[in-house]
Amino acid sequence: MTPSRRLLAIADDLSGAAEVAAAVRSRTTRSRVLLLGGPGTGGMATALRPRHVGEATVLDLDSRYRPAAEAAEAVRGALRMSWPDGTDGRDALDTIVLKKIDSLLRGNVAAEIAALAEDGTGVVLAPALPIAGRVVRSGVVHIGGVPLHEGDAWRAETVPPPASVAQALGGLPSALIPLTTVRSSRPTLLTALRAAAAAGRVAICDAETDADLDAIVGASLADGPGMRLVGSGGLALAVGRHLATTLPAAGARAAPGTPDPAAPAATGPATATAEGPTATTVKQGATAATGPAATAAGSPVTTAVGQTATGPTSAPGPAAAEAMGRGASDAPRAPALTSPSAAASTAGTAVSSTDTGAGPDAAAPSAHTGRPVLVVVGTAEPAAVEQVRRLVEDGAGHQRLPLAGLLADGPPVGLPALTADVTVVSLGASPGSADPAPAYQPVSLPSPRPAPPSVHGAEPVSGRRLVLGLARVVGAAVTAHRGAVDLVLTGGETARRVLDALAVTELDPIGQVHHGAVHLRAPDGRSVVTRPGSFGDPDSLRHIVQALRPHSTERKVTS
């Protein structure tokens, strides 16, 4: 890898883009997320140029539920915009291209991969996400051991799931790279990948572990960045590990006068800046061990690049200690959003990873900003019901918005003033229902992709209209609040629509609360946490809120 080599990552939704940005961010690679196609992004081409040597630019094309032809053109446009003027394509030859897709193969997978491969570049496809129990065996995605097409992961979609990865490519020529080849020697794997590229076929790689994905990335980039990588957040993590071992420290030879995105602003996020290589907060009662013992105990420490830290950590300095709430002001606080069951459930769980890109003398922002936190749950996943219930149990205010009101053409429903420390917003009743749903009853949220007309002539419920209505309500409440509001947004479609409503076009990653729950900073200093709707255990929202509003029950892991 040459020092000037950079990474261009292209995602089809915002939560995926954030996941990639966190996965590749480390002391050797800075990253940022740019939201394309929304309001205020007309002049984005100049912003695509890296601000620092080796910086990773992650683009959210917002293309998952667009028509296939539009999604393909969005990929072409992103590639065209990403090569700086005057390079005649030379910069493209030294840029690693990573296309982030959904690990469940939702979205315009075939159209976007076809656009990537139009110039004859080889494409390596590895959608496995081992950390979430999603693997690829014999070219078929399995979730917890069940083939994708035999489960219910696509229950909100308007079409059935593909029976194989090759079927998801819609007829694009492909070649299966079986697990035996992936786990053979690098020359053997590289030969198979080269053969697929030479034949104009997409190389579909089996993978079950992070080591498998590391082998795929290493072989794909052995000849330089000539092959284009396509995969889920698991592949992004593998790319991040690869970059961390092959690039110099991030920020080298930064352009004069360019602001450091890693340096916290005066109103920056509620995440401390570490003074050592890694520093992670956990809840009281969690095992504060590192190294083999911690790994054996099943207590991984999540770092800013989403990897498991098993080495020693440095003790935090005074600034970091202050940022984590020790010596914080005596300003009145609401009752701590931590119950005994929540504290017990966090043992061995990383709660807030820190920004390892900043220098050791960077001033850490206050961990308790006093800003309200607005949690927006825009997902149909059944697990979200329990996540909301536990957050409300801990004292969060809960506002349920009627779906009929979000779909109405008249004045939209509204949220009350954001006076509570934490407010969670969810969908509260099915369309056409005269009565609001019980507090934690699951609400079926249709896919944002346009549904085919009903055979009975009734107009199908529009998932896109629901999400747009939700975003308008949230945007109005945030705008009306005097002062900044930190946001927790579940579901990539919901996250993007809310940020579009607030005209946010750029985000800098800070770290991950847990896998997929990415903490980012907006240009105005507010914290934004995005998370795919299908991610997270029952305490996911608890952990996210506690990371944004830490309490005295938290302590620092310092080894």
Side-chain angles (χ1 to χ4, degrees):
M1 295 282 288
T2 63
S4 62
R5 188 154 294 161
R6 69 186 182 109
L7 170 69
L8 171 68
I10 302 171
D12 65 353
D13 82 337
L14 180 55
S15 60
E19 189 181 352
V20 172
V24 301
R25 185 173 177 80
S26 69
R27 283 198 178 275
T28 65
T29 306
R30 294 182 180 182
S31 62
R32 59 178 174 153
V33 178
L34 300 179
L35 286 64
L36 300 189
T41 60
M44 190 65 82
T46 300
L48 290 180
R49 301 177 184 180
R51 300 168 299 182
H52 307 278
V53 172
E55 181 178 61
T57 301
V58 185
L59 308 179
D60 170 28
L61 301 187
D62 189 25
S63 60
R64 177 167 296 181
Y65 295 110
R66 292 165 68 177
E70 290 185 15
E73 184 54 37
V75 171
R76 297 186 194 101
L79 293 174
R80 286 194 298 266
M81 286 192 299
S82 298
W83 318 138
D85 296 337
T87 62
D88 295 326
R90 291 190 302 272
D91 194 63
L93 299 176
D94 207 35
T95 298
I96 298 170
V97 175
L98 169 65
K99 175 66 181 73
K100 164 67 171 65
I101 64 169
D102 179 40
S103 60
L104 301 177
L105 305 179
R106 295 171 298 187
N108 293 296
V109 175
E112 294 183 348
I113 291 179
L116 280 180
E118 283 177 346
D119 61 358
T121 303
V123 173
V124 177
L125 172 56
L129 184 60
I131 194 172
R134 301 172 184 178
V135 304
V136 178
R137 297 177 184 139
S138 301
V140 176
V141 172
H142 289 69
I143 307 169
V146 179
L148 173 64
H149 60 284
E150 295 179 7
D152 64 349
W154 275 48
R155 59 187 166 274
E157 300 299 308
T158 59
V159 294
S164 67
V165 179
Q167 188 179 97
L169 296 182
L172 286 177
S174 63
L176 176 63
I177 311 298
L179 195 60
T180 53
T181 302
V182 170
R183 293 179 175 176
S184 61
S185 65
R186 175 171 291 185
T188 300
L189 176 55
L190 180 56
T191 297
L193 297 179
R194 286 172 176 167
R201 295 179 176 274
V202 177
I204 299 173
C205 296
D206 282 351
E208 296 184 349
T209 67
D210 288 336
D212 296 335
L213 294 173
D214 288 337
I216 292 166
V217 169
S220 299
L221 301 179
D223 293 333
M227 293 187 182
R228 290 175 176 171
L229 300 169
V230 180
S232 69
L235 193 68
L237 286 167
V239 170
R241 291 189 289 269
H242 180 84
L243 295 177
T245 60
T246 56
L247 288 180
R253 296 183 293 167
T258 302
D260 184 353
T267 59
T271 299
T273 300
E275 296 195 5
T278 59
T280 307
T281 62
V282 298
K283 297 297 171 205
Q284 197 94 350
T287 303
T290 58
T295 303
S299 304
V301 178
T302 302
T303 70
V305 293
Q307 301 172 38
T308 300
T310 57
T313 57
S314 298
E322 175 70 17
M324 297 319 298
R326 289 176 285 188
S329 69
D330 294 326
R333 293 188 184 185
L337 288 170
T338 307
S339 66
S341 61
S345 70
T346 57
T349 302
V351 174
S352 177
S353 64
T354 59
D355 179 359
T356 59
D361 297 324
S366 171
H368 181 72
T369 64
R371 294 194 293 259
V373 175
L374 181 59
V375 181
V376 183
V377 181
T379 175
E381 294 295 330
V385 177
E386 178 63 15
Q387 293 168 0
V388 169
R389 190 196 67 78
R390 294 191 183 193
L391 193 58
V392 173
E393 182 182 77
D394 290 348
H398 187 196
Q399 298 294 327
R400 296 185 297 278
L401 298 179
L403 272 65
L406 298 177
L407 291 168
D409 294 327
V413 295
L415 288 174
L418 301 176
T419 56
D421 282 354
V422 180
T423 301
V424 57
V425 175
S426 64
L427 303 177
S430 301
S433 173
D435 301 314
Y440 307 109
Q441 175 178 308
V443 174
S444 178
L445 181 64
S447 167
R449 187 180 297 281
S454 169
V455 294
H456 300 293
E459 181 181 353
V461 173
S462 168
R464 173 58 63 93
R465 281 184 61 196
L466 284 174
V467 175
L468 285 172
L470 176 62
R472 284 194 299 269
V473 171
V474 171
V478 171
T479 302
H481 183 78
R482 182 173 298 179
V485 177
D486 290 336
L487 299 170
V488 178
L489 308 172
T490 71
E493 180 76 6
T494 298
R496 178 58 193 260
R497 299 286 81 79
V498 169
L499 293 182
D500 280 352
L502 297 172
V504 174
T505 61
E506 183 171 345
L507 296 164
D508 284 310
I510 304 301
Q512 293 199 69
V513 181
H514 61 69
H515 175 70
V518 182
H519 186 179
L520 308 110
R521 181 172 62 238
D524 63 1
R526 83 173 73 236
S527 285
V528 178
V529 177
T530 65
R531 195 208 70 190
S534 62
F535 281 32
D537 66 14
D539 282 321
S540 172
L541 294 181
R542 273 177 167 168
H543 294 329
I544 293 170
V545 167
Q546 289 162 357
L548 293 178
R549 299 183 66 87
H551 300 285
S552 59
T553 55
E554 290 183 338
R555 57 190 173 84
K556 196 81 147 184
V557 172
T558 59
S559 77

